[in-house]
């Protein structure tokens, strides 16, 4: 049943409920048995054991455990302990991230209310909201949270704040008389109320149409639970890398062993060859890689926290760097989630207010001091005073020290109160100076509200704060004893107005002036603004109760307010940075299409007039939608299901999608996106718990700071993978080519493991904290399908592996044939030194080391000298000489080692020069 398309009596008949007495106790109990309690049910999640198992059952963990086993077989228990520690560290960090309770459901449950007032058996009762059933009559009043979905039966100025559910920033007037012929989006069903929304104004009665998981809130809960989380691009790349390394290590063992046994004459030599082959396989596996990746991600998460972005899931740090589309909700994300006066139209003048605070006040004062400013100022005064007087919102000061003001009450009325306060007209001062003596409340039929105020008896009675305003008042019109102020929809005000306030004087409201007023109204409305007019009427005495309805005739129209939820001031710059970084911004909102398009054009998301609504999406097939999402950047009046479908369509085009949002209606799409970004201040608990990242300052610009950090991290991961694989390739080449050149095995098993330990340790960690390169936010994101070996990494690894191995082998062969007993130590040390020189060079893929600077990464300086110092200890400390079978090197040998390192540096610089010239060409 679509209750929005049925009259109230039809809905009651369908639900077999009595509109006067409600349900009987026995019938309510039977329905509770049938439909279940009015609460959200949670599906069984993963057990802790299952989460631990997921952390351990992956390719790289298997490879590391195999390497640990081989290290034990080789007698290197320290290496085995280090590898096992790495496995444990990764499992603990992963478990900590993944084992967080699925708090989305708990947050949704917190949105429900504990008790409600219902009418059963002809009397009002207070019951637990869990016991509500379809057909119950629920009484609603200001401040209530709606406990279930329902059809409105009675509305006395009833409004519902539905922003968290629909994205509609303005409270929605409810009207029980409406019956819709066709299906409407959730935000337009003004005869319905929904679970989890709030009543900020009025009172009414509803009949419950859905409870628990059948409510719109329950449907969102089901969507959240149904979305499966996928691996991030980095996780997929590392899995592919792990499988490739496993195969390579197996082949390597076989090749080295077969080559080695050709020259092995004894069983002992054959065993040594086997140990060497296994050692080389262990060395070929970059054990430190997973630890360095985890540490780089953790450090990145800490840096993001300092930039006001809280990472809730570690792999999301890198995913940000791959983002190619940012789908943003409008309300609370791109906008301030606060209705604000953004335009004023008075006396043939329009004043646009584009920011909050002092700038807005200055723009008002400048308008008032323009040509004909005195008369214009008095009109502006009267409009702002009228908007604040005919108003039930309250002006309150922020609790924090030095804080400004905020309004308590209906968002639209609050916007008028704040507009007056920004001009220096405080409502609390106004209310004391011009006390309210009578009123005609707002109702949805008249669409207006009228209040009557006693004017100050003399100028001396005017408070000091209002004295400048009072002195500016028009002398052309005598100050009345009482003033009636009416605010509301312009069509109703025009019907009741006979004159217009123009530059301090009353002029007849003829047809030409009526058309101008309506043209001004339409100009504001087409930009998605809500337009309210203010009119006044002079009285010589307060009206009696019978005279109140007649107050809304013979009015003088003062001007118009245009209000909307304005864009955050920093968003336009952030969107421009998005585009400069090759990231496409898209708006997906449940708000009105005209409002959405206006905000999207204002912040630079689109220059087009085109948009698609939820109803448009329903008419498109999945294939058609995948085509349209590449052209359209504004989607309005969409449901949570539509948001998931849009995210899926973008992902179907191979794009990495970030989704931002703050409402309950955003949560399923936040979970579905490659990375979900929630607002930390205005965001609901549901949205925050469904997201991978939370913006602690609710600043869209913070996303771009996080994207920059993500790109930096991915670049650094590529750098240390390049470095680790180049080092391992050089070791493998040395072991493969050495026997072919007539040498014994160039390196011993312990020497290989030592090399693996020192070069894969500090230098790799230092690369993980390398500062971002200058162009990181001036290039498009790399494809999520790109291999980690893409963009020339394989060629670089192969070339540098061969170069370092040939340089080291050249030194070793020459020394070996010269009969130098320290030839193996010289080869061993040369290879390590060329590797640490390479660590300095891979800090940038294209920029020269001398442009990057030797000291821009202090940890790399420490890593370089620490690695060199440890190797010198192995060469010169007697105890270590025995352990690693090394011999001391002479001064000439050390010069050869340094020269070899410089030769490698020259080759890498030449490689980079070629790349830079290709780019310029």
């Amino acid at each position: 049943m679509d209750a929005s398309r049925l009259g109230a009596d039809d809905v009651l008949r369908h639900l077999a409920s009595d509109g006067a007495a409600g349900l009987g106790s026995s019938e309510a109990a039977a329905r509770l048995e049938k439909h279940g309690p009015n609460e959200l049910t949670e599906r069984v999640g993963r057990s802790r054991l299952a989460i631990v198992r997921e952390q351990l059952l992956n390719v790289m963990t298997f490879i590391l455990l195999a390497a640990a086993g081989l290290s034990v077989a080789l007698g290197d228990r320290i290496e085995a302990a280090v590898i096992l520690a790495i496995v444990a560290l990764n499992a603990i960090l992963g478990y900590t991230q993944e084992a967080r309770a699925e708090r989305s459901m708990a947050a949704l449950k917190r949105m429900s209310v504990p008790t409600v007032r219902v009418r059963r058996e002809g009397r009002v009762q207070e019951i637990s909201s869990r016991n509500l059933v379809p057909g119950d009559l629920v009484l609603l009043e200001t401040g209530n949270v709606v406990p279930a979905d329902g059809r409105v039966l009675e509305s006395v100025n009833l409004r519902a704040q539905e922003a968290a559910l629909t994205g509609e920033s303005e409270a929605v007037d409810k009207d029980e008389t409406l019956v819709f012929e066709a299906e409407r989006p959730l935000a337009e069903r003004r005869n319905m109320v929904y679970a989890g929304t709030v009543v900020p104004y009025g009172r009414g009665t509803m009949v419950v149409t859905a409870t628990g998981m059948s409510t719109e809130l329950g449907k969102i809960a089901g969507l959240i639970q149904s979305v499966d989380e996928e691996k991030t691009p980095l996780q997929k790349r590392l899995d592919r890398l792990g499988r490739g390394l496993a195969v390579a290590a197996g082949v390597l063992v076989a090749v080295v062993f077969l080559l080695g046994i050709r020259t092995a004459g004894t069983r002992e030599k054959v065993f040594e060859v086997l140990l060497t082959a296994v050692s080389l396989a262990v060395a070929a596996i970059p054990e430190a890689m997973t630890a360095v990746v985890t540490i780089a991600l953790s450090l990145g998460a800490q840096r993001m926290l300092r930039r006001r972005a809280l990472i809730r899931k570690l792999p999301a740090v890198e995913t940000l760097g791959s983002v190619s589309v940012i789908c943003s909700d409008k309300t609370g994300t791109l906008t301030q989630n606060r209705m604000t006066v953004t335009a004023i139209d008075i006396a043939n003048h329009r004043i646009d207010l584009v920011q909050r605070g002092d700038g807005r006040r200055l723009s008002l004062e400048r308008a008032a001091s323009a040509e004909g400013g005195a008369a214009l100022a008095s009109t502006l005064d009267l409009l702002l005073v009228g908007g604040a007087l005919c108003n039930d919102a309250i002006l309150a000061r922020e609790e924090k020290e030095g804080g400004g003001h905020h309004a308590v009450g209906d968002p639209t009325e609050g916007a008028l109160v704040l507009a007056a306060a920004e001009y220096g007209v405080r409502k609390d001062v106004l209310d004391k100076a011009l006390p309210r003596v009578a009123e005609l409340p707002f109702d949805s039929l008249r669409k207006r509200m009228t209040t009557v105020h006693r004017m100050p008896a003399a100028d001396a009675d005017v408070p000091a704060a209002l004295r400048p305003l009072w002195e500016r008042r028009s002398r052309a019109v005598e100050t009345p004893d009482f003033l009636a102020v009416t605010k509301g929809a312009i069509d109703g005000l025009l019907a009741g107005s006979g004159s217009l306030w123009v530059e301090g004087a009353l002029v007849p409201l003829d047809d030409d002036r009526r058309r101008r007023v309506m043209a001004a109204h339409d100009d504001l409305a087409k930009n998605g603004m809500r337009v309210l007019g203010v009119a006044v009427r002079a009285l010589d005495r307060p009206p009696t109760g019978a005279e109140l309805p007649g107050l809304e005739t013979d009015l003088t129209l003062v001007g118009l307010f245009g209000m909307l939820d304005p864009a955050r001031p920093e968003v336009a710059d952030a969107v421009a940075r998005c585009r400069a970084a090759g990231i496409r911004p898209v708006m997906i909102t449940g708000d009105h299409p005209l409002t959405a398009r206006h905000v999207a054009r204002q912040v630079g998301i689109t220059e087009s007039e085109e948009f698609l609504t939820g109803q448009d999406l329903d008419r498109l097939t999945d294939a058609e939608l995948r085509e349209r999402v590449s052209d359209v950047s504004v989607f309005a009046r969409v449901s949570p299901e539509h948001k998931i479908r849009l995210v899926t369509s973008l992902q179907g085009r191979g794009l990495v999608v970030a989704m931002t949002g703050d409402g309950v209606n955003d949560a399923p799409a936040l979970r579905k996106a490659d990375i979900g970004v929630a607002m930390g201040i205005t965001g609901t608990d549901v949205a925050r718990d469904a997201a991978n990242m939370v913006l602690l300052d609710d600043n869209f610009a913070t996303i771009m700071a996080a994207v920059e950090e993500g790109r930096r991290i991915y670049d650094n991961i590529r750098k240390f993978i390049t470095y680790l694989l180049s080092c391992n390739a050089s070791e493998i080449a040395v072991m493969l080519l050495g026997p072919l050149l007539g040498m014994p095995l160039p390196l011993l098993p312990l020497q290989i493991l030592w090399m693996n330990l020192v070069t894969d340790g500090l230098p790799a960690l230092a690369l993980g904290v390398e500062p971002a390169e200058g162009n990181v936010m001036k290039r498009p994101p790399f494809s999520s399908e790109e291999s980690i070996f893409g963009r020339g990494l394989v060629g670089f690894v192969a070339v540098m592996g061969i170069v370092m191995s040939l340089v080291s082998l050249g030194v070793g062969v020459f020394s070996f044939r010269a009969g130098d007993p320290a030839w193996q130590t010289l080869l061993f040390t040369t290879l390590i030194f060329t590797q640490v020189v390479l660590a300095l060079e891979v800090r940038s893929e294209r920029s020269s080391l001398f442009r990057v600077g030797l000291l821009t990464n202090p940890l790399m300086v420490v890593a370089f000298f620490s690695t060199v110092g440890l190797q010198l200890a192995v060469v010169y400390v007697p105890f270590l000489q025995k352990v690693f079978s090394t011999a001391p090197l002479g001064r000439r040998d050390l010069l050869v080692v340094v020269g070899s390192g410089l030769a490698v540096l020259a080759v890498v610089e030449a490689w980079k020069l070629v790349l830079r010239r290709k780019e310029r060409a």
Side-chain angles (χ1 to χ4, degrees):
M1 175 185 66
D2 184 353
S4 67
R5 298 169 66 180
L6 297 176
D9 291 339
D10 294 331
V11 173
L12 288 169
R13 276 195 298 272
H14 187 89
L15 294 170
S17 182
D18 188 321
L23 298 175
S25 297
S26 58
E27 178 62 20
R31 294 189 184 191
L32 184 62
E33 182 71 23
K34 177 182 177 182
H35 296 282
N38 179 36
E39 62 183 7
L40 303 179
T41 57
E42 188 171 2
R43 297 175 188 172
V44 178
R46 295 175 299 169
S47 67
R48 293 186 177 184
L49 182 61
I51 296 173
V52 172
R53 190 166 58 244
E54 286 179 15
Q55 300 305 312
L56 297 175
L57 297 181
N58 61 71
V59 175
M60 282 306 298
T61 301
F62 288 146
I63 293 174
L64 291 178
L65 291 175
L70 292 172
S71 297
V72 171
L74 293 168
D76 191 346
R77 300 186 188 280
I78 295 177
E79 173 88 1
V82 169
I83 294 172
L84 291 174
I86 289 171
V87 172
L89 174 66
N90 288 320
I92 291 169
L93 287 174
Y95 176 82
T96 302
Q97 295 294 328
E98 299 295 336
R100 58 184 167 83
E102 294 292 332
R103 291 188 299 271
S104 296
M105 293 303 304
L108 281 167
K109 288 179 178 179
R110 285 196 294 273
M111 294 188 69
S112 61
V113 288
T115 59
V116 291
R117 293 170 66 229
V118 300
R119 185 178 292 116
R120 285 183 179 176
E121 296 185 328
R123 57 190 179 86
V124 176
Q125 306 176 27
E126 192 168 277
I127 66 169
S128 169
S129 64
R130 293 182 73 254
N131 297 329
L132 278 180
V133 295
D136 262 327
L137 303 184
V138 179
L139 280 61
L140 300 173
E141 57 188 28
T142 301
N144 283 172
V145 176
V146 180
D149 291 358
R151 174 63 160 84
V152 178
L153 301 180
E154 178 192 21
S155 171
V156 181
N157 304 322
L158 180 67
R159 298 178 190 171
Q161 181 57 262
E162 300 174 346
L165 191 65
T166 66
E168 179 73 63
S169 53
E170 184 183 340
V172 180
D173 294 319
K174 297 300 177 180
D175 186 347
E176 75 276 16
T177 65
L178 292 175
V179 178
F180 299 109
E181 294 183 1
E183 185 177 356
R184 294 291 187 95
L186 220 60
E188 296 179 6
R189 299 178 190 174
R190 292 175 46 223
N191 55 5
M192 299 289 295
V193 287
Y194 296 100
T197 60
V198 180
V199 177
Y201 192 86
R203 61 182 177 82
T205 305
M206 65 173 246
V207 58
V208 174
T209 57
T211 60
M213 295 299 286
S214 298
T215 63
E216 295 298 328
L217 197 65
K219 292 174 185 176
I220 292 174
L223 285 173
I224 292 173
Q225 296 176 60
S226 67
V227 175
D228 295 325
E229 294 188 22
E230 297 183 359
K231 289 186 176 181
T232 67
L234 179 63
Q235 289 171 320
K236 294 174 183 176
R237 287 168 177 149
L238 292 180
D239 279 351
R240 290 195 295 267
L241 176 61
R243 286 191 291 269
L245 289 175
V247 173
V251 172
L252 184 63
V253 170
V255 172
V256 172
F257 181 70
L258 291 174
L259 287 174
I261 60 174
R262 291 170 56 195
T263 57
T266 64
R267 179 178 297 178
E268 289 75 13
K269 285 290 184 181
V270 171
F271 182 67
E272 184 179 335
V273 168
L274 177 61
L275 289 181
T276 302
V278 171
S279 300
L280 197 57
V282 172
I285 299 167
E287 294 96 336
M289 185 177 71
T290 51
V292 173
V293 168
T294 303
I295 291 169
L297 294 175
S298 298
L299 292 175
Q302 292 175 24
R303 288 192 295 268
M304 287 184 183
L305 185 60
R306 288 196 291 271
R307 299 178 81 166
R308 311 302 294 160
L310 172 66
I311 299 297
R312 300 186 66 251
K313 196 171 184 183
L314 209 53
V317 175
E318 181 275 333
T319 307
L320 277 163
S322 304
V323 165
S324 46
V325 177
I326 296 179
C327 296
S328 179
D329 178 44
K330 180 189 73 68
T331 306
T333 306
L334 298 174
T335 65
Q336 300 173 21
N337 196 20
R338 175 166 49 183
M339 288 297 288
T340 304
V341 175
T342 55
I344 290 174
D345 191 280
I346 50 172
N348 302 316
H349 292 273
R350 173 168 165 173
I351 304 170
D352 289 303
L353 309 176
V354 294
Q355 65 182 82
R356 296 197 61 77
D358 292 342
R360 288 165 54 87
R361 183 169 178 174
L362 282 172
S363 65
L364 285 169
E365 291 175 348
R366 285 171 184 161
S369 61
E371 185 177 350
L376 182 64
S378 68
T379 309
L380 182 60
D381 291 341
L382 185 56
L383 180 67
L384 291 168
V385 167
L389 285 173
C390 186
N391 200 311
D392 289 330
I394 299 171
L395 185 69
R397 180 170 289 278
E398 301 283 359
E399 292 183 3
K400 61 183 180 181
E401 185 177 349
H405 293 90
H406 69 280
V408 179
D410 178 77
T412 300
E413 294 200 322
L416 300 178
V417 168
L418 287 173
E422 286 167 348
Y423 189 54
V425 181
R426 290 172 49 96
K427 178 170 172 56
D428 52 349
V429 177
L430 275 177
D431 288 340
K432 291 177 182 177
L434 288 81
R436 186 184 298 187
V437 296
E439 66 179 287
L440 192 60
F442 173 90
D443 69 48
S444 56
L445 292 177
R446 291 170 28 253
K447 296 184 179 178
R448 54 186 179 269
M449 169 184 180
T450 297
T451 56
V452 180
H453 303 267
R454 178 183 291 110
M455 300 293 284
D459 288 0
D461 295 332
V462 178
L466 296 179
R467 194 68 53 78
L469 178 148
W470 189 255
E471 291 172 354
R472 280 202 303 266
R473 75 190 188 278
S474 173
R475 300 297 178 180
V477 180
E478 185 178 347
T479 303
D481 295 328
F482 294 87
L483 182 70
V485 183
T486 301
K487 81 168 190 299
I490 192 62
D491 50 354
L493 288 184
L494 279 177
S497 298
S499 57
L500 185 67
W501 188 278
V502 178
E503 298 180 357
L506 301 182
V507 298
L509 190 58
D510 56 25
D511 290 343
D512 287 341
R513 292 190 176 102
R514 287 179 187 273
R515 281 193 292 270
R516 199 213 72 80
V517 171
M518 284 307 302
H521 169 276
D522 294 343
D523 189 48
L524 295 173
K526 75 179 183 183
N527 288 323
M529 297 186 196
R530 182 180 186 188
V531 184
L532 285 180
V534 171
V536 296
R537 178 180 173 181
L539 301 173
D540 55 8
R541 61 180 177 81
T544 64
E547 293 173 331
L548 280 173
L551 288 179
E552 295 175 346
T553 59
D554 196 23
L555 299 171
T556 297
L557 184 65
V558 180
L560 308 177
F561 287 106
M563 289 170 283
L564 52 70
D565 181 10
R568 293 173 177 272
E570 71 278 356
V571 167
D573 288 339
V575 170
R577 289 193 70 202
C578 269
R579 293 193 178 281
I583 300 171
R584 179 184 166 216
V586 173
M587 179 190 288
I588 302 177
T589 179
D591 212 340
H592 193 282
L594 293 178
T595 306
R597 185 179 64 187
H598 173 75
V599 173
R601 289 171 63 86
Q602 187 180 22
V603 301
I605 286 178
T606 184
E607 296 179 357
S608 168
E609 296 288 324
E610 189 175 13
F611 58 80
L612 289 177
T613 66
Q615 291 178 328
D616 296 328
L617 298 183
D618 289 334
R619 290 191 288 267
L620 295 175
T621 65
D622 289 344
E624 290 171 337
L625 183 56
R626 274 196 300 273
E627 292 300 316
R628 293 307 305 277
V629 291
S630 63
D631 304 322
V632 180
S633 296
V634 178
F635 300 89
R637 282 289 189 252
V638 293
S639 67
E641 293 89 345
H642 291 138
K643 291 184 178 185
I644 288 183
R645 196 170 167 221
L646 286 167
V647 170
T648 303
S649 296
L650 289 164
Q651 290 172 329
R653 297 183 66 87
L655 302 173
V656 177
V657 181
M659 175 74 195
T660 75
D662 64 342
V664 179
N665 58 327
D666 299 315
L670 291 174
R671 182 68 65 87
K672 175 63 180 174
D674 295 290
I675 178 162
V677 182
M679 303 296 112
I681 300 173
T682 59
T684 61
D685 288 343
V686 186
R688 287 195 293 267
D689 290 331
N692 307 103
M693 184 176 89
V694 178
L695 303 182
L696 299 181
D697 56 2
D698 282 15
N699 190 335
F700 184 84
T702 302
I703 298 175
M704 295 314 298
V707 167
E708 180 179 355
E709 193 63 50
R711 290 189 176 188
R712 169 191 176 183
I713 288 167
Y714 179 60
D715 286 350
N716 288 350
I717 288 172
R718 268 181 57 92
K719 288 170 187 176
F720 64 66
I721 287 177
T722 301
Y723 168 67
L724 292 176
L725 296 182
S726 297
C727 292
N728 292 355
S730 67
E731 296 163 20
I732 292 166
V734 164
M735 297 302 292
L736 291 175
L737 296 176
L740 297 179
L741 296 174
M743 298 174 65
L745 288 174
L747 298 171
L748 300 176
L750 271 182
Q751 291 174 345
I752 294 172
L753 295 174
W754 169 255
M755 188 182 305
N756 205 37
L757 185 63
V758 294
T759 59
D760 286 10
L762 280 176
L765 283 174
L767 287 171
V769 296
E770 184 69 25
E773 297 191 45
N775 69 337
V776 71
M777 292 300 287
K778 298 176 183 176
R779 58 166 173 81
F782 300 121
S783 169
S784 61
E785 300 300 316
E786 176 190 81
S787 167
I788 207 159
F789 295 112
R791 288 179 283 128
L793 188 147
V794 172
F796 182 86
V797 167
V799 170
M800 295 317 303
I802 292 171
V803 167
M804 288 189 293
S805 64
L806 289 179
V807 168
S808 302
L809 276 173
V811 170
V813 168
F814 181 83
S815 182
F816 171 71
R817 291 179 178 172
D820 187 349
W823 70 268
Q824 194 172 56
T825 303
L826 179 59
L827 188 155
F828 176 35
T829 304
T830 299
L831 188 53
I832 284 183
F833 189 73
T834 57
Q835 289 178 353
V836 292
V837 168
L838 181 68
L840 296 175
E841 278 288 353
V842 297
R843 292 170 56 202
S844 174
E845 290 188 16
R846 283 168 171 73
S847 298
S848 166
L849 172 62
F850 305 103
R851 178 176 290 276
V852 172
L854 291 169
L855 303 179
T856 50
N857 184 350
L859 184 57
M860 179 57 77
V861 177
V862 172
F864 179 86
F865 287 108
S866 297
T867 303
V868 171
L870 288 170
Q871 180 60 21
L872 291 177
V874 166
V875 172
Y876 291 107
V877 174
F879 166 71
L880 294 175
Q881 287 176 345
K882 293 180 181 179
V883 173
F884 291 98
S885 302
T886 58
L889 298 176
R891 183 179 300 175
R892 191 184 69 173
D893 292 334
L894 292 179
L895 289 175
V896 169
V897 169
V898 173
S900 300
L902 293 176
V904 169
L905 185 146
V907 172
V908 181
E909 286 291 329
W911 177 281
K912 292 181 179 180
L913 180 61
V914 171
L915 288 181
R916 292 196 297 271
R917 287 182 174 175
K918 281 184 178 179
E919 282 184 350
R920 286 196 291 267

